[in-house]
Amino acid sequence: MKKKWEDLQKNANKKNSQNSQTQAKNDAIEVSLNENINKIKEMVGNSDDIITREIRIGKEGKVRCCLLYTDGLIDSQAHQNFIMESLMIDLRTTDIQAEQDSTGLPLLSYLKEMVLTVGDIQDVMDISVLIDSLLSAKVILLFDGYQQGFAIEMQGGKERSVEEPATESVVRGPREGFTENLRVNTSLLRKRIKDHNLWFETRKIGKVTKTGVTIVHIKGIANDKVVEEVRKRLDRISIDSILESGYIEELIQDKTWTLFPTMFHSERPDSIAADLLEGRVAILVDGTPFVMTVPVVFPQFLQSPEDYYNRADIATLLRFLRYFGLFIALLAPSLYIAITTFHQEMLPTQLLISLAAQREGVPFPAFIEALAMELTFEILREAGLRMPRAISQAVSIVGTLVIGTAAVEAGFASAAMVIVVAITAISSFTVNNYELAIAIRILRFPFMALAASFGLFGIIVGLIAMVLHMCSLRSFGVPYMAPFGPFIKDDQKDAIFRFPRWAMFSRPRLISQLNMKREDSPAPKPES
């Protein structure tokens, strides 16, 4: 039985070896240029955006070659100036037949080292690698009689220019934002961190799309365990397509069933550069301007790049406003429902009489009234986002005013409820992170239900459950509620408060565990 199993194993290994050899043979570039061209055209389905240009080079056109590229992905002007002219004009009087032997390698070396005036030239000997390069904005150069070609970097085409991010505007700070081009995004980071320890590691993810995904970290500052964990989670991904960074986020995040974001997103190069300098790891995805950083903690979502461009006292005041706006956006409707339904004794007499008079003609309980108004506002907000920009702002403002006024006059809602809903909506815009703002908008409705059922006791129970859930979250092994839970005294200097720059002498303890020292500047003192 054992011998039979060993024979089966040997036969299987032999068959796999034969299949591998056959596959390697089929993937190899052929000697005949015509066979290579026909094979490539067949593999891409004779797509008309794949341009094939056959030329002859050298004196009397002794060498036949072919240029292949994807129309719209390459820089046509650079292709004309640095490849076509070099091959067809510069070599027209050169007898390159003397520069080759039976293997053909001297000819290719001659062209690569002395003729082609481009920077990035890679040797290609595999047809599958050739196809990937062809569809990745590279020009392919093949020669008749040689089982080797060149993949020449010539990326271009129509792209969006570097502009100010629309979702993260600041009063003071840089106006540059990431684009959909991966190389442009890496250059924006390199421009801000001119250090050789800033490392980029790119891999292709997606069996069909083969999207470029780049891991960025600063060697010596980022935690090596976190960097290795990011690599492992990305390497585990097996999917057909990656069209946006959200695909990556869902596949590598620590916990799926939570409303709170456990990865940070930004369109601002200065914000991502600051995260890298704190020891975080950035993930860039080709085709999207949103860059992710890990690990992340909850206070990071209530911070703005502008906090570090203003003085410490101004930044601290603005953070207080954000935290206050967060609590209003989460709890204002539920507090109104709880107090008017169960705890009227908490209100002053005059205010209680005024609210009672307003609600005299309203046929619904406070919960139904608040639910209807909140849902109406959410519909208006979503409609304003999806409508054409020329009319979206006018429709959202006019719709809110008209519906609010009409609801009060018709007796469907009280004026106090309209005021509460309006304050809640305005406060939600103080949360500068879109993912966290959505989580707060969703949690608002369970808190309203708890307030309608149990009053302030239900709100307190809901807050306790929410905080316990947040304390259980991890972002690549780092507690989500740090530095509040666990409490880290040294990291409180950049949590709710923002200490002066000279006092922020160390990096977050749980983020960077290698190079903790960040600042070594003493407090400013006037000269005596």
Side-chain angles (χ1 to χ4, degrees), residues 425-441:
I426 294 172
S427 298
S428 66
F429 290 111
T430 62
V431 181
N432 55 334
N433 185 270
Y434 182 68
E435 285 78 13
L436 180 61
I438 291 179
I440 297 303
R441 287 161 57 185

Side-chain angles (χ1 to χ4, degrees), residues 49 77 232 398 417:
D49 64 331
Q77 190 65 35
K232 289 181 179 178
V398 172
M417 178 58 73

Side-chain angles (χ1 to χ4, degrees), residues 413-513:
S414 62
M417 178 58 73
V418 174
I419 293 174
V420 170
V421 171
I423 292 175
T424 303
I426 294 172
S427 298
S428 66
F429 290 111
T430 62
V431 181
N432 55 334
N433 185 270
Y434 182 68
E435 285 78 13
L436 180 61
I438 291 179
I440 297 303
R441 287 161 57 185
I442 296 174
L443 286 172
R444 188 186 303 152
F445 294 96
F447 274 99
M448 290 166 55
L450 288 172
S453 302
F454 307 104
L456 291 177
F457 301 103
I459 296 176
I460 293 173
V461 171
L463 284 174
I464 293 173
M466 185 185 73
V467 172
L468 289 176
H469 171 70
M470 295 172 69
C471 290
S472 69
L473 296 177
R474 295 289 185 274
S475 177
F476 283 76
V478 175
Y480 190 64
M481 287 301 290
F484 305 132
F487 183 81
I488 303 173
K489 181 180 178 182
D490 292 339
D491 290 351
Q492 299 300 320
K493 59 183 178 293
D494 192 23
I496 297 179
F497 298 90
R498 207 279 271 175
F499 280 34
R501 177 64 64 183
W502 50 265
M504 299 169 62
F505 51 84
S506 63
R507 294 184 174 86
R509 195 181 76 182
L510 295 179
I511 304 298
S512 175
Q513 300 178 356

Side-chain angles (χ1 to χ4, degrees), residues 509-527:
R509 195 181 76 182
L510 295 179
I511 304 298
S512 175
Q513 300 178 356
L514 298 177
N515 186 356
M516 295 295 298
K517 191 174 183 180
R518 174 168 53 186
E519 303 284 346
D520 198 16
S521 301
K525 294 181 181 179
E527 296 184 2

Side-chain angles (χ1 to χ4, degrees), residues 393-407:
Q393 188 174 6
V395 169
S396 60
I397 294 174
V398 172
T400 304
L401 292 174
V402 171
I403 291 177
T405 304

